[in-house]
Amino acid sequence: MPDRGGGPTGPRIRVGRPSRRVRTLLMTLGVLAVLGMAFTMFAGFWTDWLWYRSVHYSSVFTTTLWTKIGLFFVFGLLMALAVGFNIWLAHRLRPPLSAMSMEQQNLDRYRMGIAPYKKWLLFGITALVGLIAGASASGQWRTWLMWVNGVSFNQKDPQFHLDVSFYAFDLPWYRFLLGFGFAAAILSVIAAALTHYLYGGLRVTSPGARATAAATGHLSVLIGIFVALKAVAYWLDRYGLAVKSSDFKATDNWTGLRYVDANAYLPAKTILFCIAVICALLFFATIWRRTWQLPVIGFGLMVLSAILIGGLYPAIVQKFQVQPNEQAKEAPYVEKNLAATRQAYGIDGAKVDDYPGKSNTDDKTQLRDDVDATASIRILDPNIVSPTFQQLQQIRNYYAFPTNLDVDRYTKDGKDQDTVIGLREINLSGIPKNNWINDHFRYTHGYGVVAAEGTSADSEGRPEFTESDLPSKGDLGTYEQRVYYGEKTNMYSIVGGPQKEVDYSDDSGEKTYSYKGDSGVNLSNPVNRAAYAVAFSEPQILYSGAIGEGSRILYNRTPKDRVESVAPWLTIDGDAYPAVVDGRIQWIVDAYTTTNGYPYSSRTTLGDTTADSLTATNNQRAVVAQQNQVNYIRNSVKATVDAYTGEVKLYEWDTQDPVLKTWKKAFPGTVEPKSEISDELMAHLRYPQDLFKVQRELLTRYHVKDADTFLSGSEVWQVPDDPTNKAGESVPPYYLSMRMPDQKEQAFSLTTTFTPNGRDNLSAFMAVDAEAGTEGYGQIRLLKLPTSTTVSGPKQIQSQLNSEQDIAETIRLLRGGDSEVEYGNLLAVPLDGGLLYVEPVYVRGGDLKYPLLRKVLVSYGGATAFEDTLDEALNKVFGADGATETPPDQDTGTGEDDGGGTTPPPTAENPTVQDALDDAQKAFEAGQEALKKGDWEAYGRAQEDLQDALERAEKAQSQPDSTGGGEGAGGSES
């Protein structure tokens, strides 16, 4: 060949085999890589086993593991055998001689090429499909365990009269088997057809018959199996109608049969089942007839029938029978949906009572006295005061409180009181220097409970602590204060070894401690150390001298993570809360059993239903959902996590729940009986928030019991947006000790309000008895307000309070400088036919930037007050201090009839008012300056001056205008 200009050519280099040394090195590296991968897989498995054994729930690990392994091998083997057998059979049925055609000559090359590797190719294909099928089947371990352990609900669906357990436990498993059968049939048809084509059983362009008799019979049987499975699918679809979701104008998540389902789809599915059975028999008959003519005709008829009977006919019924008279046609099915939904969500026992919305009592003094008996109004908002706890009780930077504190109740002087409580947890971002030793060995735990009365604040607006300081002391007595497990404890710690931990600091200096619990996994074993070094990607665990005899590694340390891990079949409530029980700090976690297979019960999405203004700003409050779409839920388990030892205990709560009974059969010994709950623990259990939020969302539509009202939508409610922030999310429910109209004494309750759909006025008030162990626990009460009159809702009350000119002026003063005003929870309390609204107002002032209670807003019956304390505000609203209110129908000078009960706005023409407001501004600025300097004595004097100036301004406003304005201090013009 001529030189192409590639330059001078050199000697040819012969590429030989690598040297023995290189081959040895490559082989060694390969072996090490395989061993490394194997040990990495082993480390994950081994550390999981060690963790479950350390929390004494190894049976959960083994049951789950063996179930997954069993499903993997059984269904993987079945799929491999199905596909492999049909490939082998197609090869066995190949024609002895191939037709002499170009097509077959081309295929001969492929046949000859794979001939030496046929067995390996068959093994590879079957192994691949087996692995994929096995992996898919292992993910169905929950479905399998529920099917094999399912117990009866002792309730029958109204259509087919089958026990609910069939839909909740059996039908999901049958559908999985059906789906597996379809996959096996389709893969077998594809594999067999390709094999037949490769070996001449099927021909595309060759002369003569397109398929041999053997190939025809083989493929016909496989297609017949597929059609037979389709017949089974049609039959199961009949029952699936009872749990089918569909769009319906009455609700977005309708579940169950409607008129068209019962009268068109149901008979259509039965007819299609019969056609599919006949069609399958025609395919099986080709074993003898050796022709596809009849099966193909039958299959075509089945497809045509599916279109006409299964699609067109129901559409005709819907168009010409249902739509002209929908109310009457759908009413019987709506009644079934109403009954099933109310039962499935536990709202069938809700008491709905009419409530006038306004008081008929003229004796304001009596109403003022009734307030204290009706409710212990909580003015300390647990969702706002965390920074105040942080500032006043953090003590050291390496401690922190959760963003949202919790409300519990404790007994003081023989009387229960609502208490805001939080734990001083470890905060690694606040330690002096971050390094591996400090992060994981020295700073390992928080210390102590901080609690404050929920119904009061001191003269400076700070919480009145009932448990405080470091170590904590107060009303809670003696208890183990170290917090190794908490909501903010996300890092692993290694404790109990040669490295001492920082315990806490006091005036005498830093105290050290060494963990004495048996929690965590022992690291004295070198295999364990190596496994955790790999699992945590931290090689120092393997060789660090800080780890020695007695060292234990603690991880999975948040309460919700621990409960979810030991009970992966539970759905975890978003709010775990601490309580001091029997000398220990226990995290209490509510857990739910759910299913989405309750017939006729409408579905809800847990993530959406439980979202509110708190979850929007704090993801830790979100529900941990194993099953997001559900149509049955029960708070069946109460769990505790010891803050020191991490010990997890699951207690049976709903003893009648069939779903819990099923899981108890699957995981025996994991749930302790309800009788094991101690009296002291029972005193702190409460009705869970996420269940309440799900129920209130359902009650926006399902508070009605008759189909006509439900279909008309005339009484649809909505959960109002939180008026105290701009998140645009639902108002959260609030815990409050209060008395409903039909109750004789106060009960710890969880409360919320409803407004009409698309409007802001109040339509209903809802409360549930939240105190566990009491006779009324779980009783839902709804106070339904009349539709003929308008009662202000939360958003309107907030707007009204913000628009009052004297209130707005005071808030403007409070916002002076660089201060921020924060509105606390707007609490609603039924009182003598009306609704009492109470809202604490906090101010973050100066450089301190933590909220202090400055004012309390109160509204009742059109009268409003904005005072320094709750008592003062209540006294003003009810006239107990001699203050006068503007009648609701009198013009307040704001240009509209807002039912205010407020004093006229200040005017520049009245020098007394202006002087007082100037003095108030000066006092406020002096207070801010004192805050910056930390001079609390000067700050107190400034607050007294501010209060005196505001009182003088208020008195001056109430006097007639001496300038002759003709309309009093308010004037007719603004």
Side-chain angles (χ1 to χ4, degrees):
M1 295 292 292
D3 187 0
R4 299 284 184 183
T9 59
R12 292 184 179 180
I13 300 176
R14 297 181 63 185
V15 180
R17 296 177 62 193
S19 66
R20 184 176 181 181
R21 185 175 181 181
V22 172
R23 292 199 306 271
T24 303
L25 178 61
L26 292 174
M27 186 177 296
T28 303
L29 291 175
V31 170
L32 289 176
V34 172
L35 290 176
M37 293 175 62
F39 189 79
T40 300
M41 296 174 63
F42 167 78
F45 164 81
W46 186 243
T47 52
D48 285 346
W49 161 250
L50 291 174
W51 186 85
Y52 275 96
R53 190 175 65 176
S54 73
V55 294
H56 310 295
Y57 282 89
S58 55
S59 63
V60 174
F61 179 81
T62 54
T63 299
T64 305
L65 178 64
W66 286 116
T67 302
K68 289 179 178 180
I69 291 175
L71 292 172
F72 177 86
F73 279 105
V74 169
F75 286 94
L77 187 61
L78 286 174
M79 183 65 76
L81 288 175
V83 175
F85 172 76
N86 282 285
I87 293 175
W88 172 83
L89 184 60
H91 180 266
R92 181 77 178 269
L93 297 175
R94 69 190 184 278
L97 296 175
S98 301
M100 297 304 294
S101 66
M102 186 62 67
E103 179 186 25
Q104 294 303 313
Q105 290 177 15
N106 291 332
L107 290 174
D108 275 338
R109 290 182 295 174
Y110 294 103
R111 288 193 283 264
M112 293 175 63
I114 67 173
Y117 310 106
K118 283 192 294 187
K119 291 183 179 179
W120 288 106
L121 189 60
L122 177 63
F123 175 78
I125 293 173
T126 55
L128 179 62
V129 297
L131 286 172
I132 295 173
S136 176
S138 66
Q140 298 294 322
W141 64 271
R142 289 185 178 88
T143 307
W144 161 260
L145 288 176
M146 293 185 79
W147 178 68
V148 77
N149 295 288
V151 302
S152 174
F153 274 70
N154 294 318
Q155 297 172 9
K156 297 185 183 297
D157 78 281
Q159 181 67 40
F160 302 101
H161 308 292
L162 296 174
D163 192 87
V164 172
S165 61
F166 171 79
Y167 301 93
F169 306 141
D170 299 343
L171 191 57
W173 178 250
Y174 297 153
R175 282 176 164 167
F176 164 72
L177 291 179
L178 188 62
F180 179 84
F182 275 126
I186 292 171
L187 289 175
S188 296
V189 168
I190 294 172
L194 289 175
T195 305
H196 280 299
Y197 176 71
L198 182 64
Y199 286 97
L202 293 177
R203 301 155 191 166
V204 177
T205 61
S206 298
R210 295 289 182 234
T212 64
T216 300
H218 183 198
L219 293 177
S220 294
V221 169
L222 290 177
I223 297 174
I225 292 173
F226 176 85
V227 176
L229 290 172
K230 187 62 180 174
V232 176
Y234 282 134
W235 189 256
L236 287 181
D237 284 347
R238 298 169 68 254
Y239 303 110
L241 293 172
V243 289
K244 182 194 73 171
S245 290
S246 60
D247 294 331
F248 189 33
K249 70 175 186 179
T251 175
D252 295 332
N253 297 295
W254 174 274
T255 301
L257 286 83
R258 290 156 52 193
Y259 181 88
V260 69
D261 297 312
N263 295 277
Y265 280 112
L266 187 57
K269 296 293 183 182
T270 305
I271 294 171
L272 289 172
F273 163 76
C274 297
I275 294 174
V277 170
I278 295 171
C279 187
L281 293 176
L282 291 175
F283 273 104
F284 293 144
T286 56
I287 297 176
W288 297 278
R289 291 180 56 84
R290 303 295 184 177
T291 175
W292 276 345
Q293 184 176 5
L294 285 178
V296 170
I297 293 174
F299 189 79
L301 289 175
M302 187 182 76
V303 174
L304 183 62
S305 300
I307 296 172
L308 296 178
I309 303 175
L312 185 60
Y313 174 62
I316 293 173
V317 172
Q318 177 69 25
K319 179 70 175 177
F320 295 102
Q321 291 191 36
V322 177
Q323 288 186 6
N325 192 17
E326 187 172 37
Q327 196 94 349
K329 296 290 187 182
E330 300 288 12
Y333 304 95
V334 169
E335 290 176 357
K336 296 175 183 178
N337 176 269
L338 285 170
T341 302
R342 292 171 62 85
Q343 168 64 30
Y345 289 95
I347 57 177
D348 51 331
K351 295 176 61 178
V352 182
D353 295 316
D354 292 330
Y355 193 70
K358 58 182 180 180
S359 173
N360 294 319
T361 300
D362 296 327
D363 188 351
K364 293 294 187 71
T365 304
Q366 180 61 44
L367 285 176
R368 174 65 184 91
D369 294 338
D370 288 344
V371 172
D372 294 332
T374 300
S376 298
I377 299 174
R378 179 175 46 74
I379 58 174
L380 202 64
D381 188 344
N383 306 310
I384 288 198
V385 298
S386 179
T388 308
F389 274 50
Q390 185 85 356
Q391 180 69 28
L392 302 178
Q393 288 296 319
Q394 179 187 23
I395 311 298
R396 294 289 182 267
N397 287 338
Y398 48 81
Y399 295 130
F401 292 91
T403 305
N404 303 102
L405 303 178
D406 291 288
V407 178
D408 202 347
R409 58 251 185 253
Y410 286 86
T411 302
K412 184 175 183 180
D413 300 328
K415 182 181 179 182
D416 287 345
Q417 67 175 13
D418 293 353
T419 302
V420 175
I421 185 171
L423 298 191
R424 194 183 285 114
E425 298 186 36
I426 195 69
N427 174 32
L428 292 181
S429 62
I431 65 177
K433 184 178 181 180
N434 287 101
N435 55 53
W436 192 62
I437 294 296
N438 278 348
D439 290 352
H440 300 290
F441 290 83
R442 284 180 52 76
Y443 295 93
T444 59
H445 59 277
Y447 208 99
V449 172
V450 176
E453 292 183 8
T455 56
S456 63
D458 67 13
S459 59
E460 304 298 333
R462 295 172 295 192
E464 292 193 343
F465 293 107
T466 57
E467 185 80 9
S468 58
D469 299 333
L470 185 66
S472 294
K473 52 185 176 290
D475 296 343
L476 301 184
T478 303
Y479 58 96
E480 174 55 67
Q481 298 199 16
R482 296 174 181 89
V483 182
Y484 281 89
Y485 296 86
E487 289 182 300
K488 300 178 72 68
T489 315
N490 297 311
M491 296 287 287
Y492 71 87
S493 291
I494 300 175
V495 299
Q499 178 66 56
K500 294 293 185 181
E501 311 163 42
V502 174
D503 202 23
Y504 65 91
S505 299
D506 59 14
D507 295 337
S508 61
E510 188 177 87
K511 308 293 183 182
T512 60
Y513 181 74
S514 185
Y515 185 67
K516 296 179 174 58
D518 59 357
S519 180
V521 178
N522 197 320
L523 292 180
S524 57
N525 185 327
V527 176
N528 292 356
R529 293 178 66 170
Y532 279 102
V534 171
F536 288 1
S537 301
E538 184 49 73
Q540 293 187 77
I541 294 177
L542 186 60
Y543 55 78
S544 174
I547 301 175
E549 190 66 29
S551 292
R552 311 182 72 85
I553 185 168
L554 314 180
Y555 61 104
N556 278 8
R557 297 169 69 185
T558 65
K560 291 195 291 186
D561 284 347
R562 292 181 78 79
V563 175
E564 184 191 19
S565 297
V566 303
W569 35 274
L570 289 174
T571 295
I572 311 302
D573 189 89
D575 184 26
Y577 59 99
V580 177
V581 179
D582 298 321
R584 319 281 302 185
I585 300 174
Q586 298 282 357
W587 287 98
I588 300 174
V589 183
D590 285 287
Y592 311 108
T593 46
T594 62
T595 179
N596 65 355
Y598 197 99
Y600 272 101
S601 173
S602 291
R603 288 183 172 86
T604 187
T605 303
L606 289 180
D608 297 337
T609 308
T610 58
D612 58 26
S613 60
L614 297 183
T615 58
T617 57
N618 181 10
N619 192 50
Q620 286 187 340
R621 297 295 288 263
V623 64
V624 182
Q626 292 294 341
Q627 191 176 36
N628 207 25
Q629 272 261 327
V630 305
N631 67 353
Y632 171 93
I633 186 169
R634 288 291 186 272
N635 176 213
S636 54
V637 171
K638 301 282 189 181
T640 61
V641 177
D642 193 294
Y644 182 79
T645 66
E647 180 185 21
V648 181
K649 288 188 176 181
L650 307 176
Y651 296 100
E652 181 182 27
W653 185 247
D654 189 333
T655 58
Q656 304 301 317
D657 178 31
V659 182
L660 178 60
K661 292 178 181 178
T662 296
W663 287 119
K664 285 176 65 179
K665 284 181 63 179
F667 296 96
T670 57
V671 181
E672 300 187 27
K674 188 175 184 178
S675 58
E676 292 297 313
I677 300 177
S678 67
D679 292 339
E680 190 167 353
L681 174 59
M682 183 70 76
H684 295 282
L685 300 181
R686 68 189 191 189
Y687 201 84
Q689 290 190 60
D690 284 333
L691 175 60
F692 183 79
K693 287 188 280 189
V694 170
Q695 291 174 326
R696 74 172 179 179
E697 183 65 32
L698 267 296
L699 282 168
T700 58
R701 291 181 178 273
Y702 286 90
H703 61 277
V704 300
K705 296 182 180 180
D706 63 285
D708 291 339
T709 306
F710 186 83
L711 285 168
S712 69
S714 60
E715 293 197 17
V716 175
W717 301 337
Q718 66 181 12
V719 179
D721 291 341
D722 190 347
T724 64
N725 63 46
K726 299 179 181 179
E729 298 287 343
S730 300
V731 61
Y734 297 123
Y735 287 105
L736 180 70
S737 289
M738 56 164 289
R739 184 184 69 190
M740 290 289 276
D742 63 336
Q743 292 178 297
K744 296 181 180 179
E745 57 185 19
Q746 292 183 21
F748 189 65
S749 305
L750 193 53
T751 66
T752 193
T753 53
F754 295 105
T755 58
N757 192 29
R759 298 178 60 192
D760 293 324
N761 57 288
L762 199 67
S763 58
F765 177 86
M766 174 182 175
V768 63
D769 287 3
E771 188 165 358
T774 60
E775 184 178 352
Y777 173 82
Q779 177 62 60
I780 297 174
R781 292 178 172 85
L782 281 166
L783 301 181
K784 183 180 174 184
L785 280 76
T787 57
S788 57
T789 59
T790 300
V791 179
S792 296
K795 189 174 181 179
Q796 291 174 321
I797 290 294
Q798 186 72 50
S799 177
Q800 177 183 325
L801 295 173
N802 291 340
S803 63
E804 297 286 353
Q805 293 199 27
D806 54 342
I807 296 176
E809 178 63 24
T810 304
I811 290 176
R812 185 187 70 79
L813 293 175
L814 292 175
R815 284 189 173 130
D818 57 354
S819 297
E820 299 175 8
V821 172
E822 293 185 29
Y823 295 100
N825 38 221
L826 180 58
L827 302 176
V829 177
L831 177 67
D832 192 54
L835 268 297
L836 173 69
Y837 287 96
V838 178
E839 182 179 55
V841 178
Y842 296 83
V843 176
R844 291 178 184 249
D847 295 331
L848 297 179
K849 292 300 180 185
Y850 64 91
L852 296 173
L853 181 65
R854 282 288 169 256
K855 293 286 183 179
V856 179
L857 287 163
V858 173
S859 176
Y860 183 80
T864 59
F866 188 55
E867 301 298 324
D868 293 342
T869 67
L870 175 62
D871 284 339
E872 291 175 0
L874 291 172
N875 289 341
K876 182 174 181 180
V877 163
F878 294 107
D881 61 349
T884 59
E885 289 110 29
T886 306
D889 59 347
Q890 181 174 327
D891 189 358
T892 61
T894 61
E896 60 180 354
D897 178 14
D898 59 6
T902 61
T903 55
T907 60
E909 289 81 3
N910 189 335
T912 306
V913 174
Q914 190 60 54
D915 291 344
L917 292 177
D918 290 342
D919 292 343
Q921 180 67 35
K922 292 177 183 178
F924 179 79
E925 292 172 354
Q928 297 303 304
E929 199 62 37
L931 273 178
K932 294 179 181 180
K933 297 177 181 179
D935 188 344
W936 292 105
E937 184 176 352
Y939 179 77
R941 290 196 301 269
Q943 293 304 301
E944 292 175 359
D945 294 342
L946 175 61
Q947 182 175 350
D948 177 68
L950 291 175
E951 289 176 353
R952 285 191 284 112
E954 185 175 3
K955 290 179 181 178
Q957 287 173 316
S958 63
Q959 301 300 319
D961 187 0
S962 59
T963 62
E967 294 291 343
S972 61
E973 298 178 358
S974 57

